[in-house]
Amino acid sequence: MSNDKISNRQMIFMLTIFRVTMSLSYFGSMDFPPSNQDNWIIILLSFFYAIFFAIPILFLVNKFKGLNMIEYFSIILGKKGGKIINLVYGIYFLAYSIYLIGIEAQLAGVNLLPSISNMVIIGLLLIVSLYILSKGIVLMFWSGEMISSLAFIGIILLVIAGLKNVDINLLRPILKDSTLMEINKGTFLTSLIFTDIFLLSMGAKYLTDKKSINKVFIKSVIYSLLFVTTINIVIQASLGVEQSKNLIYPFLIYSRLIKYSSVFERIDILYVITWLSAHTGKVAIYLFFSLMCFKDVFNIKKGRALVIILTIIVGVVSINLTNKELLGVNEFFLKNVLYIPFIFSTIIPTLICIVYFFRRKTLKKYTIEEKQL
């Protein structure tokens, strides 16, 4: 494989692990309606909403296979309009990086380094993220495949090791305590969590097989939902439905219930390390996306100084935020985070698709595969 290409397998791995780690960060689906033993069903049903909400970006990616999101936004909206929308996305990606690094710091602080301040933990996480970012998007996907593989193995081992504590009877009766309206609402909210299609919108131009873009996305949704559903089931069937939805990190508690050999001091460290490994790569990629947006807006080529500025912003804001808020708490998540990604992954791309529809004749020359600016 060429060293400037991303394989379909690597893209699927990255999309899948990013969705799974988001669920492990905060299992929002447990708190969504119907908020009972049927919540594993809404995760599976969210497949349809997830595909539907991704249609605008998938349409644009397929139309501009040789370009990334930043480039075809500029083509469709014009130079000035493109810079405005890329500035907005740059801010969003930066804010998302802050949120991600914040919940990383909190989990690491509680479980690995309880006596270390958030400032030190965030500093270490940012250093690792910067190192990953410096490798570029293609190498990030290459290394991400290996990290994702190890993360999946770690999650599977923890699920299997904790099966002795699972009582499937806790998930009964099925569909008797839930209404159709509750299931539909819960399915809709669950689908909003999985918004990592930006990996595809930014990385599709490097894919070895651009004709399989839709298959890549659909496979990643299926794999991630099966993983998340399995994790949801074992958590609720071991901890109980009511306790599970009131916990900040339910899979962490699930792993702590596992009986293990005295060789290990704490088996839940395996979960924390697995989660941090995958999550740090996620921070690096979204910080990289933010960097690319700002480089386009300000016409910067190298951007070393810009990387330092963005890193300082992420560090300062996340330190202040983690000192004031517990980022995994349901209320914070629902009020401040959940709907924002939906705006950027579905609403804005839909509006851009409408603009493309009216300008499609003048933009026809740019939709040829591998056409570069």
Side-chain angles (χ1 to χ4, degrees), residues 36 139 164 226 299 320 338:
N36 58 27
L139 288 180
K164 292 182 179 180
L226 290 177
N299 295 319
N320 290 327
L338 185 58

Side-chain angles (χ1 to χ4, degrees), residues 54-64 214 353 356-357:
I55 289 176
I57 285 186
L58 285 177
F59 173 80
L60 293 171
V61 171
N62 279 282
K63 283 294 181 181
F64 300 90
N214 294 337
C353 284
Y356 169 81
F357 177 78

Side-chain angles (χ1 to χ4, degrees), residues 101 126 248 310:
I101 204 78
L126 283 175
I248 298 173
L310 294 180

Side-chain angles (χ1 to χ4, degrees), residues 99-160:
Y99 174 73
L100 293 174
I101 204 78
I103 57 177
E104 265 194 289
Q106 287 185 339
L107 184 59
V110 170
N111 294 277
L112 288 178
L113 306 167
S115 60
I116 305 298
S117 69
N118 285 334
M119 183 181 297
V120 175
I121 295 174
I122 290 174
L124 292 173
L125 292 172
L126 283 175
I127 290 173
V128 176
S129 297
L130 283 175
Y131 174 76
I132 298 173
L133 180 153
S134 67
K135 300 301 180 179
I137 188 170
V138 175
L139 288 180
M140 279 194 282
F141 272 84
W142 283 35
S143 59
E145 181 184 16
M146 180 183 66
I147 295 173
S148 299
S149 301
L150 295 176
F152 283 130
I153 292 173
I155 294 169
I156 292 171
L157 288 175
L158 287 172
V159 168
I160 294 174

Side-chain angles (χ1 to χ4, degrees), residues 268-333:
D268 58 295
I269 295 298
L270 174 60
Y271 158 73
V272 178
I273 294 175
T274 297
W275 183 86
L276 285 176
S277 299
H279 220 266
T280 303
K282 190 172 184 177
V283 172
I285 282 186
Y286 275 95
L287 192 56
F288 177 80
F289 290 170
S290 179
L291 172 65
M292 295 301 293
C293 288
F294 286 122
K295 284 176 67 176
D296 174 79
V297 171
F298 299 110
N299 295 319
I300 299 173
K301 292 184 178 181
K302 292 186 178 180
R304 292 182 180 178
L306 185 57
V307 172
I308 297 174
I309 293 173
L310 294 180
T311 303
I312 292 174
I313 293 174
V314 172
V316 172
V317 176
S318 57
I319 288 171
N320 290 327
L321 191 60
T322 51
N323 287 337
K324 295 178 181 178
E325 298 280 358
L326 191 57
L327 300 184
V329 173
N330 300 4
E331 184 178 358
F332 179 90
F333 185 86

Side-chain angles (χ1 to χ4, degrees), residues 34 36-42 171 173-178:
N36 58 27
Q37 68 276 6
D38 294 327
N39 279 56
W40 64 273
I41 297 175
I42 71 172
L171 299 180
I174 298 176
L175 294 176
K176 285 192 175 182
D177 300 328
S178 309

